[in-house]
């Protein structure tokens, strides 16, 4: 079954902005789905429609098999949303914020206490439970919004840029938390600007730009579409004009005095590059892929025209 099914979804805001221009997407249950796109692409609008906060202009959306037009409540009950903007009652206590949310979903208070403790502990906020939200750091507030979104144990968790402004260590902690949640069966949909995050977490990805899905598939499939892959080689000796001339066919350039970057077309093998090094009697100390491949693809696809 699909957790989310979207057909030809359009949204035009009252201002006349066409935020979504016919988006179709199927997100299977249990997926970890990454939605990538530059600022203003339509990510938050899409999430808003799925979660019932924004009215669509046309098209069809089903959540956990429930059409949002015919059965808006049933769909909403299966979703937890972590919004992009902070929307916490900052003078309320952390524990109360999480427990009070349960009321909207008809979760009995006793059960809510248990879930609140479980998620506040898992997200490293249990010690802060009696503090007011205003006293939390930005990263803590984000995690509090995650705990709050999970209070009714939703089948689907949607997070709109959950790691924006979160430091590296906390971000990794959040990744582990989300990965575990997904392995327990929760479908996760996340928008992000961090390509590394998408590559690390997502099973399937869609890239959205100007209100249209321009690519979708697994990370592997998307990266395969790249025509060229850059590699960096650390050389034993300093790079000279002669070094570069031996690797001219690979578009070589010096990254620094002893690191050379080559661009390997799809139809060539790394062996061909090593042959070129051999011919020039150039010794290589080390090699690595020199750019995040997903990042390269993303930039290629969303290039400003
Ligand atoms: N409430 C609104 N009223 C009018 N226009 C809106 C509204 N919300 C969003 N838009 C416009 O719709 C387009 C898509 O915005 P949206 O917030 O969905 O993008 P986004 O992909 O989430 O961007 P970001 O990465 O910056 O969060 C933008 O042009 C934006 O200005
Ligand atoms: Mg947004």
């Amino acid at each position: 079954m699909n957790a989310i099914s979207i057909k030809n979804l359009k949204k035009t805001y009252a201002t006349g902005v066409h935020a979504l221009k016919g988006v179709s997407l199927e997100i299977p249950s249990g997926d970890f789905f990454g939605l990538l796109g530059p600022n203003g692409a339509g990510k938050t609008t899409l999430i808003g429609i799925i979660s019932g906060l924004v009215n669509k202009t046309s098209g069809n959306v089903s959540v956990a098999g429930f059409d949002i037009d015919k059965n808006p409540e049933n769909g909403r009950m299966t979703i937890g949303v972590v919004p992009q903007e902070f929307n916490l009652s900052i003078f309320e206590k952390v524990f109360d914020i999480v427990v009070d949310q349960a009321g909207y979903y008809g979760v009995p208070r006793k059960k809510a206490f248990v879930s609140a403790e479980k998620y506040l502990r898992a997200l490293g906020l249990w010690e802060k439970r009696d503090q007011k939200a205003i006293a939390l750091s930005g990263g803590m507030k984000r995690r509090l919004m995650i705990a709050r979104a999970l209070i009714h144990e939703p089948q689907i968790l949607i997070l709109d840029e959950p790691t924006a402004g979160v430091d590296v260590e906390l971000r990794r902690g959040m990744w582990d938390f989300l990965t575990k949640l997904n392995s327990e069966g929760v479908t996760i949909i996340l928008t992000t600007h961090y390509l590394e995050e998408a590559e690390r977490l997502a099973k399937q990805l869609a890239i959205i730009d100007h209100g249209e899905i321009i690519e979708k598939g697994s990370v592997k499939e998307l990266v395969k579409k790249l025509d060229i892959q850059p590699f960096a080689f650390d050389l034993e000796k300093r790079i000279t004009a002669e070094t570069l001339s031996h690797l001219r066919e690979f578009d070589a350039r010096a990254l620094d005095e002893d690191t050379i970057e080559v661009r390997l077309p799809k139809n060539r093998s790394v062996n061909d590059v090593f042959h070129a090094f051999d011919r020039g009697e150039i010794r290589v100390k080390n090699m690595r892929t020199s750019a995040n491949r997903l990042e390269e693809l993303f930039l290629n696809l969303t290039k400003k025209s």
Side-chain angles (χ1 to χ4, degrees):
M1 194 178 81
N2 281 325
I4 308 279
S5 171
I6 300 171
K7 287 198 189 77
N8 201 18
L9 179 64
K10 294 185 184 169
K11 172 67 185 180
T12 304
Y13 282 106
T15 50
V17 171
H18 299 295
L20 298 174
K21 301 172 186 161
V23 166
S24 296
L25 264 187
E26 311 260 288
I27 303 177
S29 283
D31 203 355
F32 200 130
F33 191 88
L35 187 62
L36 293 171
N39 287 133
K43 304 180 295 295
T44 299
T45 302
L46 185 62
I47 286 176
I49 294 172
I50 295 171
S51 52
L53 301 170
V54 174
N55 290 323
K56 63 189 166 63
T57 303
S58 64
N60 295 93
V61 179
S62 296
V63 175
F66 300 107
D67 186 309
I68 60 164
D69 290 327
K70 296 180 193 140
N71 238 324
E73 275 315 304
N74 291 37
R76 240 200 314 264
M77 296 298 273
T78 63
I79 296 186
V81 184
V82 182
Q84 182 170 15
E85 310 290 341
F86 292 120
N87 64 347
L88 298 162
S89 328
I90 51 170
F91 297 113
E92 255 189 83
K93 286 185 183 164
V94 166
F95 190 76
D96 297 343
I97 287 176
V98 179
V99 167
D100 288 351
Q101 181 81 358
Y104 298 110
Y105 297 95
V107 179
R109 237 172 141 70
K110 230 176 169 173
K111 195 156 177 274
F113 284 162
V114 177
S115 297
E117 177 168 353
K118 175 169 105 181
Y119 289 117
L120 287 174
R121 281 192 190 280
L123 287 155
L125 289 171
W126 184 241
E127 304 304 316
K128 303 273 178 190
R129 63 190 178 279
D130 291 325
Q131 295 202 9
K132 289 178 180 163
I134 196 172
L136 300 182
S137 73
M140 290 173 190
K141 286 194 194 114
R142 283 240 170 256
R143 283 178 285 147
L144 174 56
M145 294 205 299
I146 298 179
R148 184 183 60 177
L150 289 169
I151 191 68
H152 58 301
E153 311 272 349
Q155 297 164 35
I156 304 167
L157 179 66
I158 305 180
L159 308 106
D160 201 353
E161 315 237 355
T163 59
V166 172
D167 71 35
V168 181
E169 202 185 328
L170 272 185
R171 189 178 304 158
R172 280 172 205 274
M174 228 185 243
W175 290 354
D176 291 343
F177 175 80
L178 295 175
T179 305
K180 181 157 178 282
L181 201 64
N182 180 241
S183 72
E184 290 164 0
V186 177
T187 306
I188 298 186
I189 301 166
L190 139 147
T191 77
T192 181
H193 283 135
Y194 299 109
L195 283 293
E196 190 205 345
E197 179 163 288
E199 193 164 0
R200 188 73 70 89
L201 292 175
K203 294 175 187 161
Q204 305 281 331
L205 288 176
I207 299 179
I208 183 170
D209 193 20
H210 296 108
E212 289 176 287
I213 303 284
I214 50 172
E215 273 298 346
K216 58 187 165 193
S218 67
V219 174
K220 224 173 165 179
E221 280 162 2
L222 291 186
V223 166
K224 256 196 209 149
K225 296 197 174 171
L226 263 181
D227 293 331
I228 285 180
Q229 184 178 5
F231 284 98
F233 295 86
D234 297 324
L235 306 184
E236 269 184 3
K237 296 200 176 129
R238 289 175 80 121
I239 294 168
T240 62
E242 201 200 329
T243 319
L244 291 173
S245 76
H246 281 291
L247 290 141
R248 198 179 301 130
E249 61 180 311
F250 298 107
D251 236 347
R253 68 186 180 110
L255 292 182
D256 58 44
E257 60 179 23
D258 55 7
T259 307
I260 195 167
E261 185 189 64
V262 304
R263 301 174 68 75
L264 190 66
K266 231 184 191 170
N267 58 349
R268 301 293 297 274
S269 136
V270 189
N271 282 334
D272 300 339
V273 182
F274 278 109
H275 284 313
F277 280 127
D278 280 345
R279 280 194 298 272
E281 294 179 357
I282 301 160
R283 302 269 303 161
V284 174
K285 278 202 298 203
N286 206 351
M287 81 173 264
R288 62 187 175 273
T289 52
S290 72
N292 182 307
R293 306 178 69 188
L294 193 58
E295 197 153 300
E296 186 114 334
L297 178 73
F298 181 79
L299 290 173
N300 274 329
L301 288 171
T302 61
K303 232 177 247 162
K304 300 281 176 275
S305 43

